[in-house]
Amino acid sequence: MKKTLHFVPSSVCASAIDVTVEDGVIREICFTGGCSGNLQGISLLARGMKVEEVIDRLEGVRCGSKRTSCPDQLTRALREIQEQ
């Protein structure tokens, strides 16, 4: 089953994360705003990975002194899409 989510992150530079997951595997991630090169890299690396593996690797990553980061916000989006 294919699921798509438009997620609005908080406390990070990115203003949106669009995620497509099919049968538990990430098919596409698109960040709006944020550090373009880094977020494109994360998107490409995560493509084709299982949702749980990306959550395990990126959950809790912090950006400087912030309590969250764009990768951490991605895990929140992935958890939300799992609940759909």
Side-chain angles (χ1 to χ4, degrees):
M1 177 186 281
K2 188 175 184 178
K3 299 177 184 179
T4 302
L5 174 71
H6 177 79
F7 182 81
V8 178
S10 62
S11 302
V12 296
C13 298
S15 59
I17 306 171
D18 293 291
V19 182
T20 301
V21 172
E22 187 172 6
D23 299 323
V25 176
I26 296 169
R27 295 297 176 209
E28 187 161 356
I29 302 170
C30 181
F31 286 87
T32 302
C35 303
S36 179
N38 290 331
L39 296 177
Q40 285 180 58
I42 290 168
S43 299
L44 291 171
L45 287 170
R47 188 180 299 162
M49 291 177 68
K50 292 185 177 191
V51 168
E52 284 300 326
E53 185 175 0
V54 173
I55 290 171
D56 288 345
R57 290 177 181 224
L58 299 180
E59 190 169 46
V61 171
R62 296 173 72 152
C63 184
S65 62
K66 294 180 183 178
R67 294 179 184 244
T68 190
S69 65
C70 290
D72 183 60
Q73 290 293 301
L74 172 60
T75 68
R76 295 175 193 202
L78 292 172
R79 287 200 184 280
E80 190 172 312
I81 205 166
Q82 283 181 315
E83 294 172 4
Q84 287 183 347

